Each structure stands twice: as structure tokens, then as C-alpha cells.
Amino acid sequence: MRFRKLGSSDLEVSEISLGSWLTYSGGIQAEQTRACTEAAFDAGINFFDTANVYGRGAAESAWGEILSQHPRDSYILATKVWGQMSDTDQGLSGEQIGKQIDASLQRLRTDHVDLYQAHRFDVTVPIEETVEALQKVVRQGKARYLGFSEWTPEQIRTAVDIAGPELFVSSQPQYSMLWQAPEAEVFPVCAASGISHIVWSPLAQGVLTGKYKPGQPLPADSRFANDAMSGSKDLVLNDAALEAVQRLVPVAEGAGLSLPSLALAWVLRRGEVASAITGASRPEQVHANAAAAGVHLTDDVLAAVDAALGDVPVSRPTLAPFAAEGVLRR
């Protein structure tokens, strides 16, 4: 495993990390969750990413039970706040942030997280209130560092203008061969403030593994065939994408790599990316993903990737699901 520094923090995170979005929030059983998590430790992965809203606490609770059996300094733990936890609990008000961090820590069975992230921007709350509440979480020792997920350039710049470039150490955008939108604006804006990226869906929810074939039924044991894990498949599952992935197969073979390793190494070719968050439902998937750490892609391979993808990838600035433009000021 290789490690990279996370923004201006002193955290060294594994290039490949383990996430819990669609899997450990209820998509797979507890025994598989434990097996995959332990496989991550075996593979040298030290960065674990979750959110309060994943299964409305289910993912945090699952990892609280498992991770608490490991020394707290042996892993870097990240969670998020913003998602709807009840009919009245959602967003980034000072009250909500204070309430949700305590609930997350209780479920995670720890007294602090290493990274606390605003899962989306809350356009209904003055940004000053959100920033102050997040800073308070750090002052209280409940989080070591702060990050955000899927904020617009305007929202990022405004927060930095208010609190300085060291307010956030990380951004969490969707980023993959098929979803290149952050390169246009978000990457440059974050680079100006030394903010690293921990990217979600680097395998496009499994599309970049090659398991889904154009014109063929979904594999019965796949994520998209599982109602609990297929809710966001429309982001990446379409005929053009599936055909592009098949064109990538000989590129990977020519480079001596599996298709997932090629896709993960492509994401990690960018120095701004600190870690690629992967999901896994089986331990062998964890180890296969971890093998991409440290893989270098030559210019010839990168050119072949571009040729295979053509104009299929989403490359223009694109608002993320559940994200909203605008900033409310006091």
C-alpha cells in the first residue's frame, strides 16, 4: 500500500480506501461487512469513509462494532453530516451539526473522527453558521479535520474567504474515467487552497470492472441487481458507457493490469487525489482494489485510455445528485 498526505493535515491516508455507501448500510450482511473490513486492514488500507445517512446510521453502527476492536490509532476514520436522518433532522445548521456529530460518535464507538465532512452544501443556512459549527466540532476535539463533498466552486471559495485556506483539508467528489467533471473547476479551486481529494465511485459503481456487458442482463450477484444498492445506477449505467468500458479491456490487458486496477490507477494519476474510495462486498474485491496502489500508467497507456473513452465521459462541470447552487450569507 502507498500513502498520500491529506491536504494541509498531518494525516497520511492509503491510496485505496474503503467506503460504506451502498454496501455496509444494508446492502450486504454483517458477516460480509466484517470480512471486507478485516481484509482492508490486511491489505494495508488505513482510511475508512462513511456517513451518518448511510442506512440512517446503519453503516456507522456496523463499523463502530468492527473498528472499535482495533487500536484507534491504526485507522483514519471519516464520516459526514447533512443527509436526512429523520423528518426533522437534516442539514448544516449549528444545531444539526452539534446533534449529528454526537450521534455519529456514539454509533462509531469513538470519541473523535479524523475527518468530518459536510456531505452537501446547505443553501438554507448562512454559510457563516455552518463554518462556525464545524470549527466548534474541531475545537471540542470531536473531529481532527474538516472536509466537504460535492460543493460548487462558489461555495468552496466563500468558505475559504470566511475562514482561510486551512479550514478544509479534503474534498470528496465523484471522479472516475467515466465522470471527469471535477477536473474542469473543482480541482483547480481546491488546489489553490491545498485541499486534497478523496474521490467516490472511482469504479463508477462497478461499471469500470467490466462485469456489465452491453445488451446483456445484469449479473444476478451484482450491485445493480440488488434493490438495496442500485438506486444510483443511472449516474453511470448506459449503453455508451458499457461500450466504452469494453474498449478499455484490451488497453488494460496491454498494460498487464486488470480493468479495475487500470481505472483506479487512472484516478490516482492526479497528484491532487489523496485516496480512491472503493466499495466491496467480498474480501477478494478489497485485495484486488488495493493492488492498484502505486501503479504508474505510461503516457502511451493514458493516450489509449483517452482514445477508448472518446466523448463518453462526463467532462463539463456537473451538479452532483442532491447538490444545489448558491450561497446564503448573514
Side-chain angles (χ1 to χ4, degrees):
M1 183 54 63
R2 301 287 185 90
F3 299 85
R4 298 186 182 186
K5 188 171 180 288
L6 187 64
S8 59
S9 77
D10 62 358
L11 301 177
E12 296 281 342
V13 297
S14 49
E15 288 187 344
I16 304 297
S17 46
L18 187 63
S20 59
W21 170 31
L22 298 172
T23 47
Y24 314 142
S25 59
I28 68 172
Q29 300 301 310
E31 185 175 324
Q32 292 169 280
T33 298
R34 182 177 295 277
C36 290
T37 306
E38 296 301 339
F41 280 101
D42 292 342
I45 290 172
N46 75 341
F47 183 49
F48 298 85
D49 179 79
T50 188
N52 63 345
V53 78
Y54 296 164
R56 287 196 175 179
E60 287 182 332
S61 294
W63 267 355
E65 179 180 351
I66 299 166
L67 294 176
S68 63
Q69 297 176 23
H70 290 263
R72 184 62 186 85
D73 61 358
S74 68
Y75 60 92
I76 294 170
L77 181 58
T79 193
K80 310 181 196 73
V81 59
W82 172 84
Q84 186 172 4
M85 297 299 289
S86 74
D87 290 343
T88 57
D89 290 309
Q90 182 178 9
L92 297 180
S93 68
E95 178 184 5
Q96 276 298 305
I97 290 172
K99 179 178 181 178
Q100 297 303 329
I101 183 61
D102 288 343
S104 288
L105 294 178
Q106 183 175 13
R107 287 188 292 264
L108 290 165
R109 302 189 189 185
T110 183
D111 62 357
H112 74 282
V113 292
D114 298 287
L115 181 66
Y116 200 44
Q117 303 159 97
H119 208 163
R120 293 292 185 272
F121 190 87
D122 191 341
V123 296
T124 70
V125 175
I127 187 172
E128 293 89 348
E129 178 179 342
T130 294
V131 167
E132 290 165 5
L134 290 171
Q135 290 175 315
K136 182 178 180 180
V137 170
V138 174
R139 287 198 308 273
Q140 291 174 328
K142 296 176 181 179
R144 294 181 62 192
Y145 297 102
L146 301 171
F148 58 85
S149 179
E150 300 292 8
W151 284 23
T152 67
E154 178 194 19
Q155 292 159 354
I156 299 166
R157 290 191 191 99
T158 304
V160 169
D161 287 345
I162 291 170
E166 294 192 354
L167 171 65
F168 294 120
V169 301
S170 68
S171 161
Q172 187 172 144
Q174 179 181 190
Y175 184 55
S176 72
M177 286 179 169
L178 297 175
W179 194 277
Q180 302 178 21
E183 292 185 1
E185 294 182 351
V186 172
F187 277 17
V189 168
C190 289
S193 294
I195 297 171
S196 294
H197 299 275
I198 46 177
V199 302
W200 64 274
S201 205
L203 294 177
Q205 300 182 56
V207 170
L208 285 165
T209 66
K211 70 175 72 174
Y212 303 105
K213 303 294 194 299
Q216 295 187 16
L218 300 173
D221 63 346
S222 68
R223 174 180 295 187
F224 291 157
N226 184 322
D227 289 342
M229 296 189 286
S230 62
S232 298
K233 67 178 184 295
D234 290 344
L235 283 175
V236 288
L237 187 64
N238 57 71
D239 288 342
L242 295 181
E243 290 164 3
V245 170
Q246 292 308 304
R247 294 194 295 270
L248 287 170
V249 172
V251 178
E253 291 174 348
L257 297 170
S258 68
L259 193 51
S261 287
L262 174 68
L264 292 170
W266 184 91
V267 165
L268 291 167
R269 83 197 190 289
R270 298 287 300 233
E272 316 92 315
V273 175
S275 187
I277 304 171
T278 59
S281 56
R282 300 189 303 275
E284 54 267 30
Q285 293 173 330
V286 177
H287 286 285
N289 291 336
V295 171
H296 172 71
L297 301 180
T298 65
D299 290 342
D300 288 346
V301 170
L302 292 174
V305 167
D306 288 342
L309 292 172
D311 61 358
V312 170
V314 175
S315 57
R316 290 180 296 181
T318 305
L319 206 60
F322 307 109
E325 294 181 316
V327 176
L328 180 64
R329 299 296 302 263
R330 278 182 180 153

